[in-house]
Amino acid sequence: MNSEVIRKDTPGCSDKIFLNSAGASLMPKTVVDATIKFLYEEQEFGGYAAAVQNAGLINQFYEETAKLINTKPSNIAFAGSSTDGYAKALSSISFKEGDCIITTNDDYISNQIAFISLQKRYHIEIIRVANLPDHELDLEDFERLIKKHNPKLIAVTHIPTNSGLIQNVEGVGKLCKQYDVLYLVDACQSVGQIVVDVENIHCDFLTATGRKFMRGPRGTGFLYVSDKALNRKMYPLYLDSLGAKWTAFDDYQVHDTAKIFELFERPYAALVGFAEALSYANAIGMDQIESYNRKLADTLRINLQNNDFRVLDKGNRLSSIVTFCQPDGNVEKIHKALSDHKVFFKENRREDALIDFTSKNVDHAIRLSPHYFNTMEEIEKVSQLLENIRH
């Protein structure tokens, strides 16, 4: 992995220290070029003709996504975001009163709100599995809850947006496979940051976004749908002409690939840009990206701890999301020091992660999320900057 070439490919990192890839990362120049080129073709020929002329580039999205997460192109659907794909996956499940969803304390805010919405509408039960003292998922509790409640769905966020925790989605997947429970994984913060392999996770659905660690355009994402789900004829509540064939005045026949979760109208320019972002990451190799990211994040956490900041990340495996605050729980001095020196970051609030931040007794946290276009020199510079406000 040639960091000099990568930084040259990333014009946005030349005049700032960008540590917000968990929010919306910096796109490589080739991603922007591919997106704009397609828009110019739409300007010249119209959207329909541009799509026909670029069928190969559009198909590349499915091929590169499949390569990234170790599956087949027929298992991939384009989505407008991870949450968009997540909602479509949920809508393919026929919930009824008394059904149960088992999830975790660290699931993403939008997912938790979706579960509560289902609870209010269908009177389903939401059960959150226990965490072990080291904040890892309690798999024994998971198995006990599966046996007791026979859940309609198990849903786990791979990496929460509010901490560096990497949840054991593979261990949960083995239980889901053993007990034949539908399994939905939110990989919004893990895809593009670490290796994600759906064959190891054993999930039925997995969602991700383009704008975060994948470094793609906003308004892009994908949904993985397993062969098991496709064979069970699971499809979203609202289909259109892309997902089904109108066979009679009052009937239709659904298609047999994950594209049944798509709609006919898609932002093709953004999709082509996302395909380029996927190709860019695949060319480098996710194993290399994960290894380098771990060094950046580990160094940053150690430096913060050495300077007596309160690092909030708990778990045996930690990611490139680093959350922290001052020992007294405040973040104002950190916020000002980073802003004054053109360091891009995110501030998380208690309402973003109500269960996690309540248990940690914090109202605000600063989130830094280094990625593979960052350098160790930038990590040391930010660490020094923050050390200065502690002394």
Side-chain angles (χ1 to χ4, degrees), residues 38 41 46-59 268:
F38 195 95
E41 293 196 24
Y48 282 11
V52 170
Q53 291 169 12
N54 289 279
L57 287 178
I58 292 164
N59 287 333
Y268 279 105

Side-chain angles (χ1 to χ4, degrees), residues 39-329:
L39 283 173
Y40 277 129
E41 293 196 24
E42 287 190 337
Q43 173 184 272
E44 185 71 21
F45 305 109
Y48 282 11
V52 170
Q53 291 169 12
N54 289 279
L57 287 178
I58 292 164
N59 287 333
Q60 187 183 3
F61 160 74
Y62 302 94
E63 292 162 3
E64 294 290 348
T65 306
K67 181 180 177 182
L68 185 82
I69 63 170
N70 188 28
T71 188
K72 305 184 299 295
S74 58
N75 295 105
I76 300 299
F78 177 81
S81 67
S82 184
T83 303
D84 175 43
Y86 206 90
K88 287 174 178 173
L90 284 176
S91 81
S92 73
I93 303 169
S94 300
F95 289 104
K96 60 182 186 298
E97 186 171 344
D99 283 342
C100 165
I101 293 176
I102 298 178
T103 186
T104 76
N105 292 317
D106 291 282
D107 257 56
Y108 179 52
I109 174 176
S110 295
N111 304 344
Q112 297 275 15
I113 289 171
F115 303 150
I116 296 166
S117 176
L118 287 168
Q119 184 181 52
K120 289 177 180 292
R121 179 166 296 192
Y122 296 112
H123 306 289
I124 66 168
E125 190 174 6
I126 304 168
I127 296 173
R128 298 181 179 95
V129 73
N131 291 95
L132 296 168
D134 61 4
H135 213 76
E136 292 292 319
L137 293 173
D138 186 338
L139 294 183
E140 288 185 7
D141 188 44
F142 239 123
E143 186 167 19
R144 180 185 66 79
L145 292 172
I146 291 170
K147 288 178 177 178
K148 181 179 178 181
H149 297 281
N150 187 26
K152 193 73 168 269
L153 176 71
I154 286 177
V156 179
T157 295
H158 196 181
I159 298 177
T161 189
N162 49 279
S163 81
L165 172 69
I166 301 177
Q167 301 211 90
N168 184 6
V169 292
E170 295 86 1
V172 177
K174 287 177 183 175
L175 290 172
C176 291
K177 185 178 180 182
Q178 179 182 345
Y179 291 97
D180 193 24
V181 182
L182 282 173
Y183 185 27
L184 168 59
V185 173
D186 178 345
C188 191
Q189 294 287 13
S190 55
V191 164
Q193 180 195 157
I194 63 174
V195 174
V196 174
D197 186 333
V198 292
E199 291 299 314
N200 290 338
I201 297 174
H202 300 298
C203 53
D204 298 294
F205 301 100
L206 180 140
T207 64
T209 198
R211 75 175 191 273
K212 295 182 185 290
F213 289 98
M214 275 314 310
R215 305 180 64 198
R218 293 197 74 173
T220 62
F222 68 80
L223 168 66
Y224 158 80
V225 186
S226 70
D227 286 337
K228 181 178 92 174
L230 291 173
N231 290 336
R232 289 184 181 182
K233 303 297 182 186
M234 297 186 70
Y235 55 86
L237 181 60
Y238 296 110
L239 291 154
D240 78 355
S241 58
L242 186 72
K245 181 181 180 181
W246 194 13
T247 55
F249 288 0
D250 295 308
D251 202 6
Y252 58 78
Q253 181 180 344
V254 296
H255 298 311
D256 59 359
T257 74
K259 286 186 180 180
I260 55 175
F261 286 84
E262 295 185 358
L263 297 176
F264 171 79
E265 187 54 37
R266 287 159 287 174
Y268 279 105
L271 183 151
V272 167
F274 189 20
E276 175 58 32
L278 290 154
S279 176
Y280 192 92
N282 281 332
I284 295 170
M286 280 312 308
D287 52 346
Q288 288 201 64
I289 290 172
E290 177 179 347
S291 177
Y292 183 74
N293 282 351
R294 190 181 303 117
K295 291 174 187 173
L296 294 174
D298 286 352
T299 301
L300 181 56
R301 276 195 193 90
I302 290 167
N303 290 350
L304 290 169
Q305 288 165 342
N306 288 343
N307 286 305
D308 298 324
F309 287 98
R310 184 182 169 197
V311 176
L312 301 169
D313 308 318
K314 296 179 180 179
N316 294 331
R317 287 182 67 210
L318 297 178
S319 70
S320 287
I321 294 178
V322 180
T323 57
F324 66 104
C325 59
Q326 290 153 225
D328 61 2

Side-chain angles (χ1 to χ4, degrees), residues 185 213 217 333 337 344 347:
V185 173
F213 289 98
K333 289 181 181 178
F344 281 52
E347 181 179 332

